[in-house]
């Protein structure tokens, strides 16, 4: 794709942590022979610069031309021109886009969606964010999600002791580890297998062997369900999971292995057995009465999450609720970030609905209060919010460091890699939506459309999940051979790759409940599991070996129906990534695949070969340097190479770092 390029990475933006009033330098790269949005040549340029919208008043800043890559006469594509513009950060979220005006008078706009011949919308602008930055470790994380009841039972699991004594909670339906799931109520939420936090601790070596650096626990508070999203208190850890001491032991052991741990809070609702709600029901004059929405005109007499009576909704107008739950050193949010628990952050459940009901919208106040409390207790903690659909407006850097969202990555990926002719003609019931079948072009278009709403650094902290505890397992409907393709994209696209416990075992499940099966420990060496586990380990190792995958820029270079290709790039190193769902041929426009001998007969550093991108070669110059996979590249002379796949394939090659002007 020979189009002008800019993203929020350090190649193109002088600082990732601007402050209000700072002059930030932003850079645009324009290839020789650059193409407009309609595929026609842009031609000579008369003016290049940025258009910002500070305080909702447009402002233009002219760019200056910095340097050109020298052309190699033998190459069809010569190189890049660099342009730089100064942008003053006048608002906490400062949007800008590029404008290129040709000598022919045509205007060419560039924003996060790409090139356009007509003026673009503010919401799709590139963004400089002056809010408190995320912790430096977040973008490089690999996240592993655990549903405690189904992950592992310790040798001294409280479940076994309580079951033997007849002291399990009255709501619980006991199950053995190998029993099948009961998908129907009441078993759906009440079936209890007895996993505990010491069981998680005893399996930390498995997480370490995968290369996991961040453990996400779904709720650990007492409740009346196996999922525990209906908390009955936030004051202690469920005894069934081992209590407070078990959480302390788990976090200490994880930290000793270099694994951080985050918890899960329900800021939208509690359970109907919660001590606050019980007091509110019984005493109309209590402070707790103001924690919820009581209304005789609605079912059950109170508002609840999607009308489910066991999940009464919080009213965040209550200052006392804020004090107890999210604000200040004595709040629930603060308690578990401090010693002895020392959690490294929170995932907030139903963040999109929190504080919102009809004409009331307190969402921004709640999320900002949570983050302010976290900064006061430990600023090196992360905060991620669940938003099942397009929630970009909530993720502009004022609180959430990233999104647990299915719109930018998960659903587009499923649409591309799911089996055609699946349920309901190809649509899969998924996170309250139907998933259609996409071509590669549609996959990339959907990803870019939803990702465009996020600032760059928020994208780096957003979850790249193939699936979660709320969705079907990816492997259930994926085309044969495409699980490594999907997870390969999760580890190589901007964002935090996610392993939902059991994915690495090849587990399947037709919906969120069915995906919560107990882990099949002991099957790691089986013929069905071993190849999947090996692929996950290799792909996580790829992520760890190449820091550019955490913070480098993203540039799409070729998109077809069956395969797609992009480059992750930085000044130090770059990677070419090609993903194919089926047999295909994909021309990698602008890429130079060529060896060159020096006068002494040795192969010289390929970075000395001019071109938009040049593949690194092995020491003897015989083959391109492959970082992962076995997909084949074909080339003829100085023409762009073609990626050739005989079926589903995922491959990564090393490129030199981008030769850019120094800051």
């Amino acid at each position: 794709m020979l189009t002008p390029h800019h993203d929020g990475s350090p190649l193109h933006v002088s600082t990732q942590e601007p402050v209000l009033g700072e002059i930030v330098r932003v850079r645009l790269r324009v290839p020789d022979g650059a193409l407009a949005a309609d595929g026609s040549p842009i031609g000579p340029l008369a003016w290049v610069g940025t258009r910002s919208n500070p305080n909702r008043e447009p402002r233009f800043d002219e760019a200056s031309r910095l340097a050109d890559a020298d052309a190699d006469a033998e190459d069809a594509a010569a190189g890049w021109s660099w342009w730089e513009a100064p942008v003053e950060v006048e608002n906490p979220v400062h949007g800008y886009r590029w404008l290129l005006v040709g000598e022919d008078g045509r205007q060419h706009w560039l924003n996060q969606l790409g090139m356009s011949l007509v003026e673009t919308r503010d919401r799709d602008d590139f963004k400089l964010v002056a809010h408190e930055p995320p912790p430096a470790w977040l973008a490089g994380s690999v996240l592993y999600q655990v549903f405690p009841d189904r992950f592992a039972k310790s040798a001294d699991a409280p479940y076994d002791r309580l079951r033997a004594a007849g002291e399990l909670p009255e709501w619980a339906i006991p199950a053995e580890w190998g029993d099948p799931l009961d998908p129907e109520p009441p078993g759906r939420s009440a079936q209890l297998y007895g996993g505990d936090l010491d069981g998680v601790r005893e399996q930390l070596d498995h997480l370490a062997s995968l290369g996991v650096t961040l453990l996400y626990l779904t709720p650990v508070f007492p409740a009346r369900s196996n999922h525990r999203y209906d908390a009955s208190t936030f004051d202690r850890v469920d005894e069934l999971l081992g209590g407070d001491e078990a959480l302390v032991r788990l976090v200490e052991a994880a930290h000793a292995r270099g694994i951080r741990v985050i918890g899960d809070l329900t800021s939208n609702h509690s359970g109907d057995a919660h001590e606050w709600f019980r007091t509110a029901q019984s005493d109309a004059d209590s402070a707790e009465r103001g924690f919820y929405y009581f209304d005789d005109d609605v079912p059950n007499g109170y508002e609840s999450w999607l009308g489910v009576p066991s999940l009464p909704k919080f009213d965040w107008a209550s200052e006392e609720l804020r004090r107890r739950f999210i604000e200040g050193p004595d709040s629930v949010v603060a308690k578990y970030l401090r010693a002895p628990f020392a959690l490294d952050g929170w995932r907030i459940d139903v963040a999109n609905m929190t504080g919102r009901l009809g004409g009331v919208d307190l969402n921004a106040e709640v999320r900002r209060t949570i983050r302010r409390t976290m900064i006061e207790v430990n600023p090196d903690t992360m905060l991620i919010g669940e938003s099942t659909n397009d929630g970009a407006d909530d993720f502009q850097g004022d609180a959430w460091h990233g999104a647990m969202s299915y719109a930018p990555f998960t659903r587009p990926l499923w649409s591309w890699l799911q089996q055609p002719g699946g349920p309901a003609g190809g649509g899969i019931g998924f996170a309250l939506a139907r998933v259609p079948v996409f071509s590669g072009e549609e996959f990339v278009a959907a990803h870019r459309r939803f990702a465009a709403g996020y600032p760059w650094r928020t994208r780096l902290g957003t979850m790249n999940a193939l699936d979660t505890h709320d969705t079907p397992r990816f492997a259930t409907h994926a085309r044969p051979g495409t699980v490594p393709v999907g997870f390969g994209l999760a580890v190589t696209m901007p964002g935090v790759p996610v392993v939902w416990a059991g994915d690495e075992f090849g587990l399947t499940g037709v919906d969120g409940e069915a995906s919560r099966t107990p882990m099949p420990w002991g099957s790691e060496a089986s013929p069905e599991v071993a190849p999947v586990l090996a692929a996950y380990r290799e792909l996580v190792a790829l992520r760890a070996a190449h820091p550019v995958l955490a913070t480098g820029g993203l540039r799409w270079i070729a998109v077809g129906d069956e395969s797609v290709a992009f480059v992750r790039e930085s000044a130090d190193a770059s990677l070419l990534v090609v993903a194919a769902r089926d047999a295909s041929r994909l021309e990698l426009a602008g890429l130079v695949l060529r060896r060159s001998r020096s006068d002494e007969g040795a192969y010289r550093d390929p970075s000395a070969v001019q071109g938009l991108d040049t593949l690194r070669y092995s020491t003897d110059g015989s083959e391109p340097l492959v970082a992962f996979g076995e997909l084949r590249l074909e080339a003829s002379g100085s023409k762009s190479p073609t990626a050739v796949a005989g079926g589903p394939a995922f491959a990564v090659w090393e490129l030199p770092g981008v030769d850019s002007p120094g800051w």
Side-chain angles (χ1 to χ4, degrees), residues 141-144 210-212 409 413 417 464-467 474 478 481-493 496-500 503-504 532-543 549 566 577 579 628 650:
S141 299
V142 175
L143 184 148
Y144 190 93
L210 278 175
V212 169
F409 178 81
L413 185 76
L417 295 183
N464 287 347
L466 295 186
D467 45 30
F474 175 72
T482 61
V483 168
V485 178
F487 191 60
L489 289 169
V491 303
T492 55
M493 292 177 69
V496 176
V498 175
V499 181
W500 157 223
D503 283 351
E504 76 274 30
V532 182
L533 188 55
Y536 269 78
R537 285 175 172 154
E538 291 170 11
L539 285 163
V540 173
L542 170 74
R543 171 87 176 198
L549 293 176
F566 57 88
V577 179
F628 184 88
F650 181 80

Side-chain angles (χ1 to χ4, degrees), residues 186-339:
R188 189 172 177 89
S189 295
Q191 193 176 29
L192 204 64
Y193 285 85
D196 63 319
L197 297 179
D198 282 320
V200 180
R201 177 175 55 83
E202 292 171 1
Q203 295 295 341
L204 285 175
D205 286 345
H206 171 73
L207 272 62
S209 76
L210 278 175
V212 169
T213 61
L214 180 60
L215 170 61
Y216 154 40
L217 301 169
T218 58
V220 298
F221 304 109
R224 294 174 54 81
S225 68
N226 52 39
H227 54 71
R228 296 183 171 87
Y229 283 101
D230 57 332
S232 55
T233 183
F234 296 114
D235 286 346
R236 64 184 184 277
V237 176
D238 195 341
E239 181 186 359
L240 277 165
L241 296 177
D244 289 359
E245 296 79 7
L247 180 58
V248 172
R249 288 191 293 268
L250 170 58
V251 174
E252 289 178 346
H255 285 175
R257 289 169 171 80
I259 299 173
R260 292 179 170 86
V261 184
I262 63 171
D264 200 338
L265 276 181
T266 54
S267 62
N268 180 72
H269 55 264
S270 72
D272 62 346
H274 198 286
E275 54 204 7
W276 297 342
F277 187 69
R278 292 288 175 87
T279 299
Q281 281 187 309
S282 62
D283 184 357
D285 295 325
S286 64
E288 289 83 354
R289 185 77 175 187
F291 292 9
Y292 301 91
Y293 292 95
F294 287 94
D295 184 348
D296 291 337
D297 293 330
V298 300
N300 306 301
Y302 55 87
E303 295 286 351
S304 59
W305 177 74
L306 299 181
V308 177
S310 62
L311 303 174
K313 184 175 177 66
F314 286 128
D315 181 354
W316 283 105
S318 168
E319 293 185 5
E320 179 64 12
L321 173 62
R322 297 186 187 198
R323 186 189 67 79
R324 292 193 201 179
F325 200 174
I326 64 173
E327 189 168 18
D330 298 324
S331 64
V332 173
V333 164
K335 173 180 177 178
Y336 293 94
L337 301 181
R338 294 195 308 266

Side-chain angles (χ1 to χ4, degrees), residues 453-651:
Y454 295 86
W456 176 256
R457 75 184 194 190
T458 306
R459 288 179 66 181
L460 297 184
T462 291
M463 291 169 59
N464 287 347
L466 295 186
D467 45 30
T468 70
H469 69 295
D470 282 329
T471 75
R473 292 273 187 183
F474 175 72
T476 309
H477 299 291
R479 292 172 179 239
T482 61
V483 168
V485 178
F487 191 60
L489 289 169
V491 303
T492 55
M493 292 177 69
V496 176
V498 175
V499 181
W500 157 223
D503 283 351
E504 76 274 30
F505 284 74
L507 297 185
T508 59
V510 297
D511 61 15
E513 292 290 342
S515 77
R516 302 174 188 178
T517 47
M519 290 284 284
W521 299 113
S523 65
E524 291 89 331
S526 69
E528 298 79 18
V529 173
V532 182
L533 188 55
Y536 269 78
R537 285 175 172 154
E538 291 170 11
L539 285 163
V540 173
L542 170 74
R543 171 87 176 198
H546 298 280
V548 68
L549 293 176
T551 58
L554 169 70
R555 181 164 51 86
W556 293 95
I557 62 172
V559 177
D561 283 350
E562 307 300 326
S563 51
V564 300
F566 57 88
V567 173
R568 296 297 306 277
E569 53 191 3
S570 72
D572 297 325
S574 299
L575 294 174
L576 165 67
V577 179
V578 178
R581 70 178 181 184
D582 208 340
S584 60
R585 297 178 62 86
L586 185 68
E587 182 181 355
L588 307 179
L591 184 71
V592 177
L593 177 60
R594 192 184 59 180
R595 291 166 290 175
S596 181
R597 288 185 182 274
S598 68
D599 293 339
E600 291 78 22
Y603 287 98
R604 61 177 175 156
D605 182 351
S607 64
V609 179
Q610 299 301 325
L612 300 185
D613 298 295
T614 307
L615 282 170
R616 284 194 183 278
Y617 270 80
S618 54
T619 304
D620 65 0
S622 60
E623 295 291 341
L625 207 56
V626 178
F628 184 88
E630 299 178 350
L631 197 147
R632 184 163 54 94
L633 292 178
E634 291 182 354
S636 175
S638 62
K639 293 182 179 179
S640 297
T642 297
V644 182
F650 181 80

Side-chain angles (χ1 to χ4, degrees), residues 3-4 72 91 94 99 111 156 186 262 291 295 336 437 463 604 618 662:
T3 57
D72 186 320
N91 302 121
H94 186 105
L99 173 61
N111 65 5
D156 298 315
I262 63 171
F291 292 9
D295 184 348
Y336 293 94
V437 175
M463 291 169 59
R604 61 177 175 156
S618 54

